[in-house]
Amino acid sequence: MEIGIGLPMWLKGTTPAFLLDWAQRAEAGPFSSLGTLDRVAYHNFEPLTMFAAVAATTKRIRLTTSVLLATTRNAGILAKQAATVDAISGGRLTLGLGIGGREDDFKAAPEPFRGRGQRLKNSWT
């Protein structure tokens, strides 16, 4: 069995140094992956940017977005960012995508809330 652990990017007062230390400890321990959640209208770090830093400081642990709000981003830029993190990590990125269900994230992006399912389908087919 493989067990993953979350990277607590959403905790108030969390610093990048704390998160990198967390990632290194998770890699040294029994964990197979680090997971992130994605919110735009919240006090968290951007997942792919944080994973780029984590990838540069770890060697083994997988990096998993669960789930990235794909429809708050430009599909082409998102694909390029994800491919870059995957390359930096040596192929350790698992990209979980979703449409999002919180309208405040779309207002902050800004992207339309309505039609997000169809946009995801059109962007990745």
Side-chain angles (χ1 to χ4, degrees):
M1 176 186 330
E2 294 183 355
I3 301 172
I5 189 169
L7 186 64
M9 301 187 321
W10 44 267
L11 290 174
K12 286 188 180 185
T14 298
T15 65
F18 171 82
L19 293 172
L20 293 177
D21 182 61
W22 179 281
Q24 291 162 359
R25 288 173 183 249
E27 179 169 71
F31 300 105
S32 62
S33 63
L34 284 170
T36 63
L37 55 83
D38 186 22
R39 290 292 312 275
V40 179
Y42 201 66
H43 60 271
N44 61 301
F45 292 103
E46 196 284 319
L48 291 176
T49 304
M50 195 66 229
F51 270 169
V54 167
T57 61
T58 59
K59 302 274 186 244
R60 174 194 62 81
I61 201 160
R62 293 203 55 81
L63 311 173
T64 305
T65 62
S66 56
V67 299
L68 199 70
L69 302 177
T71 53
T72 62
R73 296 167 166 84
N74 173 284
I77 300 299
L78 172 55
K80 180 77 167 191
Q81 290 171 327
T84 300
V85 171
D86 194 55
I88 292 168
S89 71
R92 293 182 285 140
L93 178 65
T94 299
L95 187 63
L97 301 176
I99 62 169
R102 298 175 188 248
E103 198 164 355
D104 58 341
D105 287 322
F106 290 83
K107 287 179 181 176
E111 287 292 330
F113 186 70
R114 294 182 53 82
R116 63 198 186 282
Q118 188 63 45
R119 285 196 316 275
L120 180 65
K121 180 182 173 191
N122 293 345
S123 295
W124 297 91
T125 55

